[in-house]
Amino acid sequence: RLRAGGSDKSSAESPELQRTFGYAGGLEKPMPFARFDIREEVCKSVGGFAHGQVVRDRDGNAFLVVGVKPSDDDDKALQLWFQPKSITSPAALYFESLTATALVALLTAVGSEKLKEASPDDFDAAEDSEGELLTLCHECMLPIGASKYACQDGEGVCHGECMAKILLDASKSEDMAREKEEEKKKLRD
């Protein structure tokens, strides 16, 4: 079953993470931006495979190893996350209730690929330092509080201040276009 799981190590023995690689932190919308530890020793310790390895399960499904970060579950156990090769946009999942030993038994390494790091600007949400999901303003990319407004382009949400700026800029553009049109009309008459 895909999603979460435990590693062979107890939380007391878990490695200290250096989450430096930015990538998608899930599969569902809003897709969160997250940071992963991609050091080989950490990835292999937690999940049995290294960042950039392509692995295949018994059904022929291929996955690209992303890196290590805590699970989405309440226990926040460290997990090795994978990009499903069947999904072309950045997305990541982890395998529920599988130890590193179980992952190595389930998956077979079949090669390696360079995984392109993602930018926070490509996402509508991000994880904070505790792994909690924060919705980001589509305009300024800062976390949104209780008040939010749907963006006019239908892509995400934004702060009230950002929406006011968008509306003001749109109004100014309309005014300038109308003034230019009036100027052209006066010159023709």
Side-chain angles (χ1 to χ4, degrees):
R1 200 166 131 212
L2 303 176
R3 192 164 166 262
S7 71
D8 286 339
K9 299 196 173 280
S10 69
S11 59
E13 298 173 3
S14 294
E16 183 69 32
L17 293 185
Q18 295 177 16
R19 294 169 61 179
T20 58
F21 186 82
Y23 204 69
L27 295 172
E28 299 168 359
K29 296 283 183 183
M31 181 79 67
F33 174 79
R35 294 210 174 268
F36 296 82
D37 191 324
I38 60 170
R39 293 175 295 159
E40 184 173 347
E41 65 274 11
V42 173
C43 291
K44 285 187 173 183
S45 168
V46 171
F49 296 98
H51 169 76
Q53 276 190 293
V54 177
V55 297
R56 195 173 301 280
D57 68 13
R58 293 180 186 127
D59 295 328
N61 300 307
F63 304 91
L64 181 58
V65 177
V66 177
V68 173
K69 78 174 195 75
S71 71
D72 291 337
D73 291 342
D74 292 335
D75 67 0
K76 301 286 185 203
L78 295 184
Q79 296 298 318
L80 187 63
W81 290 66
F82 300 84
Q83 162 74 47
K85 296 284 287 168
S86 60
I87 301 175
T88 56
S89 59
L93 57 82
Y94 54 101
F95 290 85
E96 185 173 6
S97 302
L98 295 183
T99 65
T101 303
L103 283 172
V104 170
L106 174 71
L107 303 170
T108 303
V110 295
S112 64
E113 276 183 33
K114 178 136 176 72
L115 185 61
K116 185 178 183 275
E117 188 167 6
S119 166
D121 296 343
D122 299 331
F123 298 87
D124 293 327
E127 291 182 345
D128 66 11
S129 61
E130 274 108 46
E132 298 298 319
L133 189 64
L134 299 173
T135 302
L136 300 179
C137 175
H138 195 66
E139 185 70 14
C140 70
M141 300 308 295
L142 294 173
I144 298 253
S147 298
K148 57 188 170 196
Y149 299 86
C151 291
Q152 291 180 320
D153 62 4
E155 294 287 325
V157 294
C158 59
H159 295 108
E161 297 86 356
C162 292
M163 178 57 77
K165 182 183 181 310
I166 291 168
L167 294 173
L168 183 61
D169 290 347
S171 177
K172 285 179 181 179
S173 294
E174 289 171 9
D175 287 347
M176 287 175 54
R178 187 182 66 251
E179 288 173 7
K180 283 183 182 179
E181 204 49 48
E182 288 174 1
E183 186 76 27
K184 283 182 185 178
K185 192 173 182 180
K186 284 182 185 178
L187 291 174
R188 282 186 274 169
D189 292 340

